[in-house]
Amino acid sequence: MFSRSRSNLALWFTLTMGSILVGFASVLYYQEVLDSLRNLDQLLDKKSRVMAVNAKYDTLKQQLDLENVPLLGSNVSPVDSELVYARWYDTQKQMVQFFGATPPLGLTTTLGFHTIKPEYHQVRGTFRDAWLRELTLPIYQDDLLIGYLQVATPLTYTQNDLAHLRLVLLLTVPATLLIIGLAGWWLGGLAMQPIRESYDQLQRFTADASHELRSPLSAINSNAQYGLISNNPSVQRQRFENIVDVAKSMSTLINNLLLLARHAGRLTAESLQPVDLKSELLKIADQYTKLEIAQHINLTYKLPNNSLIVLGDADLLHQAVVNLLTNACKYTKAGGQVQLNLFAQSSWAVIEVIDTGMGIPEADLPHIFERFYRVDKKRARSSGGYGLGLSIVQQIVSAHGGYIRVKSVIDKGSTFKIILPL
Ligand code: ADP
């Protein structure tokens, strides 16, 4: 699934970037064609005007010398040898003089610029097969039309330049497309990475949750069946009590799962309220001293004189501290100590839960915040732990923009610190 999405991403990226590239190359090429033609036209126009001035001078000379006889032949020297031909027509559009290829006797083409491919026999020599750019313009002297001039220059150089540009584009565009494709594949992989990670995490979470739910369900099933086949009321009662216990633990598990699912990511601004940590912790400590779970240990607390206010969700923060305290009590032997501290450190509020319990092996420390992670699978299950308590704490703390830290020494105890921005 992921490699198909990655290929699709790469394909769409290549297609999008490729179309932009091809469009850009086409515009570039079209602009180059227009520019080359404009330059050629300007050059042709300039040359023809210089020739027109010479032609006017010749006509004037002929009129003064009364030699008003039209001359046919190639005795008009062109301004530039790049001209394929130059033709001079009189006002009746009849040929007067020409240079280069033999022209038709009358002027047939319209005025202005034209791109033409002359007949094979019309142009000889180097430019025999070439396309030509032809300019025909009227010549005036003192506002009086005195004739027409027609000149043509080959398009060979322009065509060669354009062919060269086409070749460059033909080689570079596919090469760039290939690079874009590879970049798309790489970017696709990069984009898929976090999705893949969260998908894997979700898969693992679903698998773990189903696994954890399967054991209490089969316990309920076996207890119910045993109760049904037994005629002894006290056995039946015992079975029902077992079912109630397992159902309670299942409900805790489901509540925890829902809590994890509901509060992923940072809290919204609306759910943030000023929370007085001192009075919250006072409440928790008060409740805890009365709870059965804490009866075997000595719970003490050290709170600041002033209240410490953080922005957050009071219920969630309550839940986080309760989870830490529950663990501290759960993993500390009778007669042990659990201490709950609150103090401010620069702009942070620190909640400390210190116990003198069994401690956590160093190798397990990096994993204890993972969902369903239990240091000792058997012990934790027997004491009702699903390995979700600490991941809930961590999720709540990071939803408040805070951190959680742990220090632990085997058989000496553990210290959990919740650090929240004040
Ligand atoms: P559980 O529901 O199993 O307690 P947690 O996520 O709260 O799950 O804790 C994960 C594991 O970390 C526990 O299984 C336990 O082994 C270990 N742990 C957590 N807190 C303590 C503690 N205060 N002392 C010793 N071990 C602890």
Side-chain angles (χ1 to χ4, degrees):
M1 180 178 82
F2 285 100
S3 66
R4 209 180 61 222
S5 306
R6 188 183 183 180
S7 331
N8 282 347
L9 264 177
L11 184 74
W12 281 108
F13 181 73
T14 314
L15 280 179
T16 315
M17 297 301 283
S19 348
I20 295 172
L21 184 74
V22 170
F24 180 73
S26 315
V27 170
L28 185 91
Y29 181 73
Y30 180 69
Q31 263 308 313
E32 189 56 34
V33 171
L34 289 186
D35 277 358
S36 310
L37 265 187
R38 199 178 307 125
N39 287 344
L40 196 74
D41 287 353
Q42 276 172 0
L43 204 74
L44 198 61
D45 188 62
K46 217 159 91 188
K47 281 178 187 172
S48 59
R49 281 179 201 285
V50 174
M51 288 185 71
V53 171
N54 290 343
K56 280 183 213 169
Y57 172 74
D58 283 352
T59 314
L60 208 64
K61 214 174 101 196
Q62 283 167 14
Q63 282 168 0
L64 286 176
D65 294 348
L66 298 173
E67 288 172 9
N68 209 359
V69 185
L71 274 167
L72 285 173
S74 54
N75 56 352
V76 174
S77 58
V79 170
D80 198 303
S81 58
E82 272 180 24
L83 288 180
V84 181
Y85 55 75
R87 295 154 183 177
W88 173 251
Y89 294 90
D90 64 11
T91 51
Q92 303 308 312
K93 298 189 174 178
Q94 293 306 305
M95 170 58 59
V96 179
Q97 280 180 315
F98 71 92
F99 153 79
T102 312
L105 281 175
L107 181 62
T108 46
T109 46
T110 50
L111 302 182
F113 289 100
H114 300 284
T115 299
I116 53 165
K117 174 110 175 150
E119 295 293 316
Y120 182 75
H121 63 271
Q122 282 181 332
V123 180
R124 273 165 281 140
T126 330
F127 306 117
R128 216 164 44 191
D129 285 326
W131 282 83
L132 303 179
R133 190 73 174 157
E134 185 189 72
L135 170 64
T136 313
L137 76 168
I139 309 294
Y140 293 94
Q141 190 162 30
D142 303 329
D143 287 341
L144 202 73
L145 181 72
I146 55 166
Y148 296 92
L149 182 67
Q150 190 174 57
V151 287
T153 192
L155 278 169
T156 322
Y157 301 120
T158 313
Q159 279 174 326
N160 285 350
D161 285 351
L162 290 177
H164 182 71
L165 180 66
R166 270 202 307 276
L167 184 75
V168 170
L169 289 177
L170 268 173
L171 291 177
T172 50
V173 168
T176 317
L177 271 177
L178 186 77
I179 294 169
I180 289 173
L182 292 176
W185 178 253
W186 181 69
L187 284 175
L190 224 59
M192 295 309 292
Q193 189 65 22
I195 303 171
R196 189 178 204 136
E197 272 165 18
S198 40
Y199 179 79
D200 287 348
Q201 205 179 346
L202 201 71
Q203 287 269 74
R204 224 178 310 130
F205 184 63
T206 316
D208 288 345
S210 327
H211 179 78
E212 293 301 334
L213 283 169
R214 204 186 294 143
S215 331
L217 266 178
S218 55
I220 288 176
N221 196 19
S222 62
N223 274 297
Q225 280 179 358
Y226 205 85
L228 277 175
I229 52 169
S230 169
N231 294 324
N232 185 340
S234 71
V235 171
Q236 280 182 335
R237 186 182 173 78
Q238 178 60 45
R239 294 294 157 183
F240 281 131
E241 275 173 5
N242 286 352
I243 290 172
V244 171
D245 283 349
V246 178
K248 264 189 206 158
S249 116
M250 266 179 91
S251 133
T252 314
L253 170 64
I254 288 166
N255 284 342
N256 283 342
L257 288 173
L258 283 175
L259 196 76
L260 279 169
R262 223 179 281 144
H263 297 287
R266 287 295 290 260
L267 291 175
T268 55
E270 303 89 67
S271 56
L272 295 175
Q273 297 293 328
V275 181
D276 181 0
L277 287 180
K278 186 186 167 186
S279 58
E280 277 301 324
L281 292 201
L282 212 55
K283 259 192 266 170
I284 297 172
D286 217 35
Q287 283 167 8
Y288 247 79
T289 40
K290 291 174 201 138
L291 286 180
E292 196 198 321
I293 186 176
Q295 290 310 309
H296 65 291
I297 48 128
N298 179 16
L299 177 68
T300 54
Y301 51 89
K302 211 158 79 188
L303 304 175
N305 295 330
N306 305 325
S307 45
L308 284 184
I309 312 285
V310 293
L311 272 185
D313 184 313
D315 291 340
L316 291 179
L317 290 174
H318 184 100
Q319 175 80 57
V321 178
V322 164
N323 283 9
L324 289 188
L325 269 183
T326 309
N327 278 351
C329 297
K330 211 158 62 175
Y331 301 113
T332 303
K333 282 193 194 125
Q337 292 256 335
V338 172
Q339 199 175 340
L340 177 65
N341 296 336
L342 172 69
F343 56 93
Q345 207 167 53
S346 59
S347 56
W348 301 88
V350 184
I351 303 168
E352 249 178 5
V353 179
I354 308 170
D355 66 57
T356 55
M358 56 176 54
I360 303 165
E362 216 179 308
D364 293 294
L365 278 177
H367 305 289
I368 55 169
F369 295 102
E370 288 170 16
R371 290 171 183 188
F372 297 107
Y373 190 85
R374 290 177 296 236
V375 173
D376 178 346
K377 313 299 186 244
K378 263 191 271 160
R379 171 174 54 78
R381 178 73 66 70
S382 66
S383 59
Y386 283 105
L388 287 176
L390 287 181
S391 46
I392 289 175
V393 178
Q394 192 185 42
Q395 193 163 311
I396 292 174
V397 172
S398 41
H400 283 81
Y403 309 90
I404 180 152
R405 298 278 178 268
V406 57
K407 267 195 289 187
S408 191
V409 179
I410 282 283
D411 292 333
K412 287 253 158 56
S414 314
T415 301
F416 283 86
K417 269 189 198 178
I418 290 179
I419 305 159
L420 295 169
L422 275 173

